[in-house]
Amino acid sequence: MKKLILFDLDGTLVSTGGAGLRALDVAFLSLQRLARASEGILFAGRVDPVIIKDIFHLKLRRTPSEKEMGNLTDHYLAALAMELASAPGYRVLDGVEGLLAALSARLDVVLALGTGNLEAGARLKLERSGLNSYFAVGGFGSDAEERAEVLRFGVRRAEEKTGTRFSPRDVFVVGDTPFDVAAGKALGAVTVAVGSGHASRDELLAAGPDRFFNSLADKTSFLDLLSVPGPAGGARRKAGGVKSTGRSDRSPGTGRRSGRKFTGREK
């Protein structure tokens, strides 16, 4: 059977060096005269339209109109393109390119995105690194406001494109936040937590993923995971249902210790 692997984007595949935060600040300052709009807002694991609405609610004390949402989104995407072009902190995270190359070469694997980014924003973020070519389809923040529903869009599009029906145990959700794990669980998918974002190892393990990796640099272990039956096949480990493949309490992608507090600021 073919396996479908849904990858989160920010903190899992790439770090944009805060380009998304700066782009939102630019858009809100330009259209709403609101400075530092992103300050104090939770981003990681959430979808872009909800983040934008939160800023309106929390900072401007009102609900945005449909027209305001459209204008804000357009300005955000234009600013994002400019920020990404010059962002000094932009980088592809450890092991990502090698793993995607290995997975895309397999006939039994289908790759897709499962991200809270607007689709246009996701494509912009991946364009600089050339990773767009690995992901013909996906589920995006422009599809739904609930993370699990975003993933369902990704599954449906992958099924439509390949003509394959994926059972839950053949779907793998890979992400760097507890929100990714929770959304994957809602689908009954195999959940893979990666310690390359801002969530600590302890926070990710507490979410109960089926597997944990410090980063995606351990390509062999990740590929081995595809041959193991998923939750529906009874493969959860007795000790918390998780096997951790990390060799230290540091994430190679961040250099921060596992005790760091999850701030949810990756964008």
Side-chain angles (χ1 to χ4, degrees):
M1 282 292 295
K2 286 188 175 182
K3 311 290 186 183
L4 171 62
I5 309 177
L6 293 161
F7 281 93
D8 174 51
L9 196 161
D10 296 297
T12 301
L13 297 176
V14 304
S15 173
T16 67
L21 299 179
R22 294 192 296 274
L24 264 181
D25 285 348
V26 168
F28 270 97
L29 183 60
S30 174
L31 293 180
Q32 300 295 330
R33 300 296 185 264
L34 175 64
R36 300 184 297 278
S38 67
E39 192 172 276
I41 301 296
L42 176 66
F43 284 87
R46 306 177 73 218
V47 302
D48 283 354
V50 170
I51 291 169
I52 292 171
K53 289 177 183 178
D54 269 3
I55 294 175
F56 270 95
H57 291 150
L58 296 173
K59 301 291 183 74
L60 299 173
R61 304 297 181 183
R62 63 184 180 84
T63 299
S65 68
E66 185 175 337
K67 182 178 180 180
E68 285 177 317
M69 285 293 292
N71 288 340
L72 200 291
T73 296
D74 289 343
H75 275 69
Y76 161 68
L77 292 172
L80 181 62
M82 296 181 65
E83 290 289 344
L84 288 168
S86 59
Y90 182 98
R91 65 190 180 93
V92 179
L93 295 174
D94 293 346
V96 166
E97 291 174 294
L99 178 61
L100 293 180
L103 290 171
S104 65
R106 292 180 52 151
L107 298 179
D108 63 335
V109 169
V110 177
L111 300 180
L113 290 170
T115 173
N117 283 274
L118 302 167
E119 181 171 9
R123 296 303 180 185
L124 285 172
K125 289 182 177 183
L126 294 179
E127 182 178 347
R128 176 169 167 177
S129 58
L131 297 182
N132 266 323
S133 60
Y134 289 112
F135 302 102
V137 296
F140 304 92
S142 39
D143 295 320
E145 294 192 353
E146 293 293 332
R147 190 84 185 190
E149 189 60 25
V150 166
L151 296 181
R152 290 189 181 97
F153 269 94
V155 173
R156 287 197 290 269
R157 289 187 178 123
E159 290 179 335
E160 291 168 0
K161 181 173 178 59
T162 63
T164 301
R165 181 74 173 175
F166 296 101
S167 66
R169 69 169 174 261
D170 292 322
V171 177
F172 294 73
V173 173
V174 184
D176 67 296
T177 76
F179 302 107
D180 297 302
V181 176
K185 284 178 175 291
L187 268 66
V190 181
T191 53
V192 182
V194 186
S196 51
H198 289 277
S200 72
R201 181 179 185 275
D202 290 343
E203 287 164 331
L204 290 169
L205 291 178
D210 294 293
R211 293 291 293 272
F212 171 84
F213 293 89
N214 275 335
S215 76
L216 294 177
D218 190 351
K219 180 173 63 177
T220 300
S221 292
F222 192 99
L223 295 177
D224 287 346
L225 173 63
L226 301 183
S227 63
V228 178
R236 289 186 184 272
R237 309 279 175 170
K238 291 183 180 179
V242 180
K243 180 180 180 182
S244 169
T245 63
R247 289 186 289 272
S248 75
D249 66 349
R250 288 183 180 269
S251 162
T254 63
R256 295 185 178 90
R257 300 192 70 83
S258 65
R260 66 188 185 274
K261 184 178 180 181
F262 178 41
T263 62
R265 292 290 290 171
E266 179 67 47
K267 183 82 175 75

